[in-house]
Amino acid sequence: GGRMRLLFIGGCKSGKSSTAQRMARALACGKPMYYWATMEPHDGEDLARIRRHIADRDGWGFTTIERARDLTAGLEAVRPEGTGLFDSVTACLAAQMFEDGGMDMGAPRRAAEQIAAISRVPAHFVCVCDGIWQGGEDYDPWTAAYTAGLAGICRTLAAEFDVVCEMTMGLPHVWKGEMPRA
């Protein structure tokens, strides 16, 4: 019962995307599902990844909204009884923060506001973010600013969302709330 907003955090190949996808389908209960695709391809590897993601979702019944910026404009397509799957905060911030060879320091706050805003529209919203700030390496200033921005967005969403779950090698660790059955 009630609306559910879930945040899945995890490293590469942690199982967060597939778990988020299954969760979205379970929450949707046959109502419309929207997949917010935020990755902007820069090379053949990116295109291959996007094609793999599309193949993974094939037949699931998602309507794809391809948008990394001005996220709220994508809401025209979204019905309030639907379920949104946002994948991922990581790609979205990269697209908004690094444009024309510069770095937009206002991007993390803007992205956090946009994602929070779109999360309030559908009945359910499942959001995916890479936990890359947990690396602990000495990053160059650009990467450091990006990872700090990413952590900030996740903190903003975590405060507002019902469930925060960290995935490690396919195993969920729930930091906040209770996972719905999927």
Side-chain angles (χ1 to χ4, degrees):
R3 326 163 52 93
M4 286 291 288
R5 288 186 296 167
L6 299 89
L7 176 62
F8 284 97
I9 300 169
C12 271
K13 304 189 174 39
S14 62
K16 65 187 180 302
S17 285
S18 53
T19 305
Q21 214 161 293
R22 279 199 311 276
M23 196 55 75
R25 185 167 62 177
L27 288 166
C29 281
K31 298 206 169 78
M33 294 189 299
Y34 305 97
Y35 184 96
W36 230 279
T38 58
M39 194 176 173
E40 295 186 342
H42 295 288
D43 54 29
E45 202 178 311
D46 287 352
L47 280 169
R49 248 177 81 193
I50 290 171
R51 273 200 288 274
R52 213 165 44 243
H53 284 183
I54 290 170
D56 283 350
R57 298 197 296 278
D58 197 34
W60 284 59
F62 282 100
T63 297
T64 302
I65 299 169
E66 283 186 41
R67 230 169 219 295
R69 310 151 204 270
D70 187 18
L71 302 176
T72 46
L75 286 170
E76 298 156 14
V78 176
R79 307 229 312 258
E81 70 274 21
T83 295
L85 175 55
F86 189 91
D87 196 351
S88 69
V89 174
T90 324
C92 175
L93 181 60
Q96 291 198 18
M97 196 163 181
F98 305 114
E99 263 188 304
D100 313 318
M103 181 162 66
D104 178 355
M105 295 305 286
R109 188 185 46 81
R110 229 183 11 255
E113 284 169 3
Q114 289 175 16
I115 298 166
I118 63 170
S119 80
R120 297 181 195 116
V121 175
H124 305 292
F125 192 82
V126 182
C127 188
V128 176
C129 183
D130 290 289
I132 61 168
W133 61 86
Q134 295 148 331
E137 294 93 351
D138 289 327
Y139 289 128
D140 62 272
W142 284 56
T143 313
Y146 172 73
T147 52
L150 203 52
I153 293 172
C154 283
R155 276 196 300 276
T156 300
L157 298 178
E160 196 175 309
F161 280 26
D162 305 293
V163 177
V164 179
C165 177
E166 187 176 359
M167 296 295 294
T168 314
M169 292 172 11
L171 298 171
H173 180 101
V174 179
W175 291 102
K176 177 186 177 182
E178 207 174 304
M179 286 268 270
R181 299 199 206 301

